[in-house]
Structure formats: structure tokens, C-alpha cells
Short mmCIF file of all heavy atoms in Angstrom, two decimals:
data_model
loop_
_atom_site.label_atom_id
_atom_site.label_comp_id
_atom_site.label_asym_id
_atom_site.label_seq_id
_atom_site.Cartn_x
_atom_site.Cartn_y
_atom_site.Cartn_z
N ASN E 1 7.76 -2.00 -4.80
CA ASN E 1 8.52 -0.80 -5.09
C ASN E 1 7.86 -0.01 -6.22
O ASN E 1 8.51 0.84 -6.78
CB ASN E 1 9.91 -1.17 -5.65
CG ASN E 1 10.90 -1.61 -4.48
OD1 ASN E 1 11.36 -0.77 -3.79
ND2 ASN E 1 10.96 -2.85 -4.35
N ILE E 2 6.50 -0.11 -6.31
CA ILE E 2 5.76 0.55 -7.38
C ILE E 2 5.89 2.17 -7.18
O ILE E 2 5.78 2.91 -8.05
CB ILE E 2 4.27 0.11 -7.35
CG1 ILE E 2 3.62 0.54 -8.72
CG2 ILE E 2 3.59 0.58 -6.19
CD1 ILE E 2 2.29 -0.11 -8.96
N ASN E 3 6.13 2.55 -5.87
CA ASN E 3 6.10 3.99 -5.67
C ASN E 3 7.54 4.50 -5.24
O ASN E 3 7.77 5.54 -4.82
CB ASN E 3 5.28 4.38 -4.41
CG ASN E 3 3.71 4.26 -4.77
OD1 ASN E 3 3.30 4.60 -5.95
ND2 ASN E 3 2.98 3.71 -3.90
N THR E 4 8.53 3.63 -5.63
CA THR E 4 9.92 3.98 -5.28
C THR E 4 10.52 4.72 -6.47
O THR E 4 10.47 4.29 -7.69
CB THR E 4 10.78 2.80 -5.05
OG1 THR E 4 10.32 2.00 -3.97
CG2 THR E 4 12.27 3.03 -4.79
N ILE E 5 10.99 6.02 -6.30
CA ILE E 5 11.37 6.78 -7.29
C ILE E 5 12.69 6.10 -7.94
O ILE E 5 13.58 5.84 -7.29
CB ILE E 5 11.83 8.23 -6.69
CG1 ILE E 5 10.52 8.89 -6.25
CG2 ILE E 5 12.59 9.07 -7.86
CD1 ILE E 5 10.87 10.25 -5.60
N GLY E 6 12.63 6.04 -9.41
CA GLY E 6 13.75 5.63 -10.03
C GLY E 6 13.84 4.07 -10.06
O GLY E 6 14.86 3.52 -10.67
N TYR E 7 12.94 3.33 -9.48
CA TYR E 7 13.04 1.95 -9.49
C TYR E 7 12.78 1.25 -10.79
O TYR E 7 11.84 1.76 -11.58
CB TYR E 7 12.14 1.33 -8.39
CG TYR E 7 12.10 -0.22 -8.31
CD1 TYR E 7 13.03 -0.86 -7.53
CD2 TYR E 7 11.13 -1.00 -9.06
CE1 TYR E 7 12.95 -2.20 -7.49
CE2 TYR E 7 11.10 -2.43 -8.99
CZ TYR E 7 12.10 -2.94 -8.14
OH TYR E 7 12.16 -4.35 -8.14
N LYS E 8 13.60 0.23 -11.08
CA LYS E 8 13.43 -0.51 -12.41
C LYS E 8 12.99 -1.94 -12.03
O LYS E 8 13.69 -2.60 -11.23
CB LYS E 8 14.70 -0.44 -13.22
CG LYS E 8 15.26 1.02 -13.46
CD LYS E 8 14.24 1.76 -14.39
CE LYS E 8 14.78 3.12 -14.55
NZ LYS E 8 13.73 3.92 -15.31
N ARG E 9 11.95 -2.42 -12.68
CA ARG E 9 11.42 -3.62 -12.52
C ARG E 9 12.33 -4.76 -12.90
O ARG E 9 13.09 -4.74 -13.84
CB ARG E 9 10.03 -3.75 -13.13
CG ARG E 9 10.11 -3.83 -14.61
CD ARG E 9 8.77 -3.91 -15.28
NE ARG E 9 8.14 -5.34 -14.96
CZ ARG E 9 8.26 -6.30 -15.64
NH1 ARG E 9 9.01 -6.25 -16.79
NH2 ARG E 9 7.69 -7.53 -15.50
N ASP E 10 12.10 -5.89 -12.17
CA ASP E 10 12.96 -7.20 -12.59
C ASP E 10 12.01 -8.13 -13.26
O ASP E 10 10.66 -8.03 -13.01
CB ASP E 10 13.49 -7.80 -11.25
CG ASP E 10 14.80 -7.13 -10.73
OD1 ASP E 10 15.48 -6.46 -11.64
OD2 ASP E 10 15.00 -7.16 -9.58
N ASP E 11 12.53 -8.95 -13.96
CA ASP E 11 11.75 -10.06 -14.61
C ASP E 11 12.58 -11.34 -14.74
O ASP E 11 13.92 -11.25 -14.56
CB ASP E 11 11.08 -9.63 -16.06
CG ASP E 11 9.96 -10.40 -16.27
OD1 ASP E 11 9.62 -11.48 -15.74
OD2 ASP E 11 9.17 -9.86 -17.17
N VAL E 12 11.99 -12.47 -15.07
CA VAL E 12 12.71 -13.61 -15.25
C VAL E 12 12.45 -14.38 -16.48
O VAL E 12 11.41 -14.10 -17.11
CB VAL E 12 12.38 -14.77 -14.05
CG1 VAL E 12 12.80 -14.25 -12.70
CG2 VAL E 12 10.80 -15.00 -14.07
N VAL E 13 13.29 -15.12 -17.02
CA VAL E 13 13.26 -15.92 -18.19
C VAL E 13 13.09 -17.39 -17.72
O VAL E 13 14.07 -17.94 -16.99
CB VAL E 13 14.46 -15.84 -19.14
CG1 VAL E 13 14.27 -16.76 -20.38
CG2 VAL E 13 14.47 -14.36 -19.64
N ILE E 14 12.10 -18.08 -17.93
CA ILE E 14 11.93 -19.46 -17.63
C ILE E 14 12.11 -20.42 -18.81
O ILE E 14 11.62 -20.22 -19.90
CB ILE E 14 10.48 -19.76 -16.99
CG1 ILE E 14 10.28 -18.88 -15.81
CG2 ILE E 14 10.29 -21.10 -16.64
CD1 ILE E 14 8.94 -18.92 -15.18
N GLY E 15 13.06 -21.42 -18.57
CA GLY E 15 13.21 -22.45 -19.67
C GLY E 15 13.47 -23.76 -19.02
O GLY E 15 13.04 -24.03 -17.87
N ASP E 16 14.07 -24.63 -19.62
CA ASP E 16 14.27 -25.97 -19.07
C ASP E 16 15.72 -26.46 -19.52
O ASP E 16 16.31 -26.01 -20.52
CB ASP E 16 13.35 -26.99 -19.57
CG ASP E 16 13.22 -27.21 -21.00
OD1 ASP E 16 14.17 -27.79 -21.62
OD2 ASP E 16 12.26 -26.62 -21.72
N PHE E 17 16.29 -27.40 -18.67
CA PHE E 17 17.70 -27.91 -19.04
C PHE E 17 17.90 -28.41 -20.32
O PHE E 17 18.96 -28.15 -20.91
CB PHE E 17 18.10 -28.84 -17.92
CG PHE E 17 19.52 -29.27 -17.98
CD1 PHE E 17 20.46 -28.47 -17.55
CD2 PHE E 17 19.84 -30.42 -18.69
CE1 PHE E 17 21.89 -28.88 -17.65
CE2 PHE E 17 21.13 -30.84 -18.78
CZ PHE E 17 22.09 -30.16 -18.32
N GLU E 18 16.98 -29.17 -20.98
CA GLU E 18 17.17 -29.83 -22.16
C GLU E 18 17.33 -28.83 -23.13
O GLU E 18 18.18 -29.03 -24.16
CB GLU E 18 16.04 -30.69 -22.42
CG GLU E 18 16.11 -31.57 -23.68
CD GLU E 18 15.05 -32.61 -23.91
OE1 GLU E 18 14.11 -32.56 -23.17
OE2 GLU E 18 15.15 -33.48 -24.80
N ARG E 19 16.59 -27.63 -23.18
CA ARG E 19 16.85 -26.62 -24.26
C ARG E 19 18.18 -26.06 -24.06
O ARG E 19 18.79 -25.77 -25.19
CB ARG E 19 15.75 -25.62 -24.07
CG ARG E 19 15.85 -24.41 -25.10
CD ARG E 19 14.74 -23.41 -24.88
NE ARG E 19 14.90 -22.68 -23.51
CZ ARG E 19 15.87 -21.66 -23.39
NH1 ARG E 19 16.67 -21.32 -24.44
NH2 ARG E 19 15.88 -21.18 -22.24
N ILE E 20 18.49 -25.69 -22.87
CA ILE E 20 19.88 -25.17 -22.78
C ILE E 20 20.98 -26.12 -23.17
O ILE E 20 22.02 -25.77 -23.72
CB ILE E 20 20.20 -24.74 -21.25
CG1 ILE E 20 19.07 -23.85 -20.78
CG2 ILE E 20 21.55 -24.26 -20.92
CD1 ILE E 20 19.03 -23.48 -19.26
N PHE E 21 20.71 -27.47 -22.91
CA PHE E 21 21.71 -28.57 -23.29
C PHE E 21 21.87 -28.58 -24.66
O PHE E 21 22.99 -28.61 -25.27
CB PHE E 21 21.20 -29.93 -22.68
CG PHE E 21 22.09 -31.07 -23.17
CD1 PHE E 21 23.18 -31.44 -22.45
CD2 PHE E 21 21.66 -31.73 -24.35
CE1 PHE E 21 24.07 -32.43 -22.95
CE2 PHE E 21 22.52 -32.77 -24.68
CZ PHE E 21 23.67 -33.10 -24.09
N LYS E 22 20.79 -28.45 -25.54
CA LYS E 22 20.85 -28.47 -27.00
C LYS E 22 21.71 -27.30 -27.54
O LYS E 22 22.24 -27.42 -28.61
CB LYS E 22 19.49 -28.41 -27.59
CG LYS E 22 18.71 -29.68 -27.33
CD LYS E 22 17.30 -29.65 -27.84
CE LYS E 22 16.53 -31.08 -27.73
NZ LYS E 22 15.27 -31.07 -28.24
N GLN E 23 21.65 -26.15 -26.76
CA GLN E 23 22.31 -24.92 -27.31
C GLN E 23 23.78 -25.20 -27.00
O GLN E 23 24.67 -24.36 -27.66
CB GLN E 23 21.64 -23.66 -26.66
CG GLN E 23 20.30 -23.49 -26.95
CD GLN E 23 19.64 -22.15 -26.19
OE1 GLN E 23 20.20 -21.82 -25.21
NE2 GLN E 23 18.53 -21.89 -26.67
N THR E 24 24.14 -25.76 -25.92
CA THR E 24 25.53 -25.65 -25.45
C THR E 24 26.26 -27.02 -25.33
O THR E 24 27.33 -27.11 -24.83
CB THR E 24 25.72 -25.03 -23.91
OG1 THR E 24 24.90 -25.87 -23.11
CG2 THR E 24 25.11 -23.62 -23.99
N HIS E 25 25.63 -28.03 -25.87
CA HIS E 25 26.24 -29.40 -25.72
C HIS E 25 27.59 -29.52 -26.32
O HIS E 25 28.36 -30.36 -26.08
CB HIS E 25 25.19 -30.52 -26.29
CG HIS E 25 25.21 -30.51 -27.82
ND1 HIS E 25 24.30 -29.69 -28.59
CD2 HIS E 25 25.70 -31.32 -28.79
CE1 HIS E 25 24.37 -29.86 -29.82
NE2 HIS E 25 25.31 -30.86 -29.99
N ASP E 26 27.87 -28.80 -27.40
CA ASP E 26 29.12 -28.85 -28.14
C ASP E 26 30.41 -28.43 -27.09
O ASP E 26 31.38 -28.75 -27.42
CB ASP E 26 29.32 -28.08 -29.31
CG ASP E 26 28.47 -28.64 -30.41
OD1 ASP E 26 28.12 -29.87 -30.37
OD2 ASP E 26 27.98 -27.91 -31.26
N GLU E 27 29.88 -27.74 -26.20
CA GLU E 27 31.00 -27.22 -25.19
C GLU E 27 31.25 -28.22 -23.97
O GLU E 27 32.10 -27.97 -23.17
CB GLU E 27 30.67 -25.80 -24.63
CG GLU E 27 30.37 -24.76 -25.82
CD GLU E 27 29.95 -23.48 -25.14
OE1 GLU E 27 29.80 -23.24 -23.96
OE2 GLU E 27 29.63 -22.60 -25.97
N LEU E 28 30.36 -29.16 -23.83
CA LEU E 28 30.49 -30.07 -22.74
C LEU E 28 31.72 -30.93 -22.88
O LEU E 28 32.17 -31.15 -24.04
CB LEU E 28 29.18 -31.00 -22.68
CG LEU E 28 27.89 -30.28 -22.27
CD1 LEU E 28 26.78 -31.29 -22.32
CD2 LEU E 28 28.04 -29.66 -20.88
N PRO E 29 32.29 -31.37 -21.78
CA PRO E 29 33.71 -32.22 -21.92
C PRO E 29 33.58 -33.54 -22.39
O PRO E 29 34.45 -34.11 -22.97
CB PRO E 29 34.06 -32.19 -20.43
CG PRO E 29 32.81 -32.07 -19.63
CD PRO E 29 31.92 -31.24 -20.36
N LEU E 30 32.23 -34.14 -22.45
CA LEU E 30 32.04 -35.61 -22.91
C LEU E 30 31.14 -35.46 -24.10
O LEU E 30 30.19 -34.86 -24.23
CB LEU E 30 31.40 -36.35 -21.74
CG LEU E 30 32.44 -36.43 -20.51
CD1 LEU E 30 31.49 -37.13 -19.45
CD2 LEU E 30 33.63 -37.07 -20.66
N LYS E 31 31.49 -36.52 -24.95
CA LYS E 31 30.57 -36.70 -26.10
C LYS E 31 29.21 -37.32 -25.78
O LYS E 31 29.15 -38.01 -24.82
CB LYS E 31 31.28 -37.60 -27.20
CG LYS E 31 32.49 -36.90 -27.69
CD LYS E 31 32.30 -35.61 -28.46
CE LYS E 31 33.56 -35.01 -28.95
NZ LYS E 31 33.28 -33.73 -29.75
#
């Protein structure tokens, strides 16, 4: 889509589950 008028590029964020777990583990239903 490099020549598509008005097109906005997409991108991704790559991480891993363990990092996400550390950020949200307090919200998990089990200790």
C-alpha cells in the first residue's frame, strides 16, 4: 500500500507471556 492515498502503516509490538504475566498477575483469579 505504499502508493495508496491516505494509507496509514501498521506495526506490531512483540513481547512474551512472562512479561505480561508480571504486569497483570495481581488480576489473575489464583494466587
Side-chain angles (χ1 to χ4, degrees):
N1 287 280
I2 195 168
N3 293 318
T4 301
I5 296 174
Y7 179 81
K8 302 301 178 184
R9 65 181 294 271
D10 285 332
D11 206 345
V12 295
V13 177
I14 296 178
D16 60 74
F17 180 82
E18 187 171 7
R19 179 181 65 82
I20 301 172
F21 175 83
K22 289 178 181 179
Q23 293 175 349
T24 60
H25 71 279
D26 290 336
E27 302 174 8
L28 292 174
L30 302 172
K31 297 298 182 181

